[in-house]
Amino acid sequence: MPTTSVEKLSPTRAKLTISVTPEELKPSIAHAYEHIAEQIAVPGFRKGKVPPPIIDQRVGKAAVLEHAVNEGLDGFYRAAVNEHELRPLGRPSADIVEWPNEKDFSGDLLLAIEVDVRPEIELPDYQGLELTVDSVEVGDDEVTEELERLRSRFGTLITVDRPAKTGDFVTLDLVATIDGTEVDTASGVSYELGSGELLEGIDEALDSLTAGETTTFESKLLGGDHQGETAEITVSVTAVKERELPEADDDFAQIASEFDTLDELTASLKEQVAKNKSFGQGSQARDLLVDKLLELVDVPVADSVIEDEVHRHLESEGRLEDDEHRAEVTESSTKAFKTQIVLDAIAEQEKVQVSQEELTQYLVQGAAQYGMDPNEFVQILSQNGQIPAMVGEVARNKALAIALGKVTVKDAAGNAVDLSEFTAVVDENEAEGDEAASEAPAEEAPAEEAPAEEAKPAKKRSSKKAAEADEASAEEADAEKKPARKRTAKQADAE
């Protein structure tokens, strides 16, 4: 096993020094000969059967050594990370400090690899922290609004002979043209005026139109072959309907609910509004707890990890030159990074484990959020190596719930707030009894988006012989797509 040592360059960056003996590099050398033999064509030898001496003549031992180091580097790095129990963030950067002798591969290979690592933090005692959330106050207007919403569900549409106004339902025929060419049509479309759920500008175009009238306006198409293009929309109103609401009385209460009287229904609606607001208290308490923990804990930030995340975010939006937005994304990514580090630490301290059932429930909810079939959603995540990240998210959510259960939460009036629905208690026997329980740690990624797949060492190279070897085995180089790495001045001079 290679000899390794680690040096902490900063709270968020470490340097691994790895010394590989010729015996330890030997398997990579043998594999390099096999790979190159499969890629080069030599008269008189079948592909894959070219002997090492011929390969040495054709591409040179330097190329074989280069290939062997490229192949073995990732394994050496992973072994060193495991040995020293490091938790890498981002992509490592490798430097070849010393090379073995090119003539007979004698001498040690010396590697220096730098990588951002998850910082170690000291958690505060969150037991007994006090948080103040907004009081739950239900106004009469809020109850009335809920009652009106319920009445609208039982309303009927009545055709009217007057101009359309906000809240009416209009039946429409639409024709979209671009440069005089018809590109899309739709007939008999029912649309609630003022909802803003059809095309941008249609509410203004339809306002005050009556059945039988036609108008035109310009808008961007939301689908089809011309999605995103600006078209001229001709819209014809064929009918205007208003919603007629049932009377709010005891009869309505019996039709719309399990209650016999309107008073009972109104009281139930008031309770429902209060319950919804209590959920708001729970969300507010979670946010306040995270902010309080970040205030109490010094979390060193891996700047390069944040920069990479911000770059990916802005690049996906096509806003790399937007400095103002860059500052906003940097701030949010930094907070997300710190939050993840703190919650991961709580998960470890509370010995949080994730059961298969919890993970499945989380994935099903994620699939519903994206409107996808759960099996397809899981398959895509699995193919991209993102399941461990999902396990990490579930663990962090559980950690936050556990911490929330240990703090004191009151409303603005000083009344204790019951957040039992938002808290969790660790059952030490629960994980032991669940054979499917997963102990996978959270992925170390700074943003809320799905993390990139696990990074390998980034290598810098500058070698004429290496370039010649790449030309001789171009197909293999394309297949591996491994980053380049830097060679020593001695190695470059020898070439």
Side-chain angles (χ1 to χ4, degrees), residues 229-251:
E229 296 183 39
T230 300
E232 182 178 76
I233 312 296
T234 301
V235 55
S236 301
V237 180
T238 60
V240 177
K241 300 179 181 181
E242 68 177 8
R243 193 196 303 271
E244 186 177 78
L245 302 182
E247 289 294 328
D249 52 23
D250 292 346
D251 290 338

Side-chain angles (χ1 to χ4, degrees), residues 310 314 318-331:
V310 171
L314 296 179
R319 301 174 67 177
L320 285 172
E321 306 303 321
D322 189 337
D323 292 337
E324 183 177 349
H325 187 50
R326 176 180 291 274
E328 295 173 354
V329 176
T330 299
E331 182 179 356

Side-chain angles (χ1 to χ4, degrees), residues 37 48 207 260 264 270 273 314 319 322 487:
D207 191 40
D260 293 327
E264 291 174 328
K270 186 173 183 178
V273 172
L314 296 179
R319 301 174 67 177
D322 189 337
R487 307 187 72 175

Side-chain angles (χ1 to χ4, degrees), residues 451-478:
E453 67 178 87
E454 189 174 357
K456 296 181 180 180
K459 303 160 285 178
K460 308 171 187 175
R461 70 188 286 186
S462 171
S463 167
K464 180 180 178 181
K465 285 191 176 182
E468 293 173 350
D470 284 347
E471 184 176 353
S473 56
E475 290 181 47
E476 180 182 12
D478 289 341

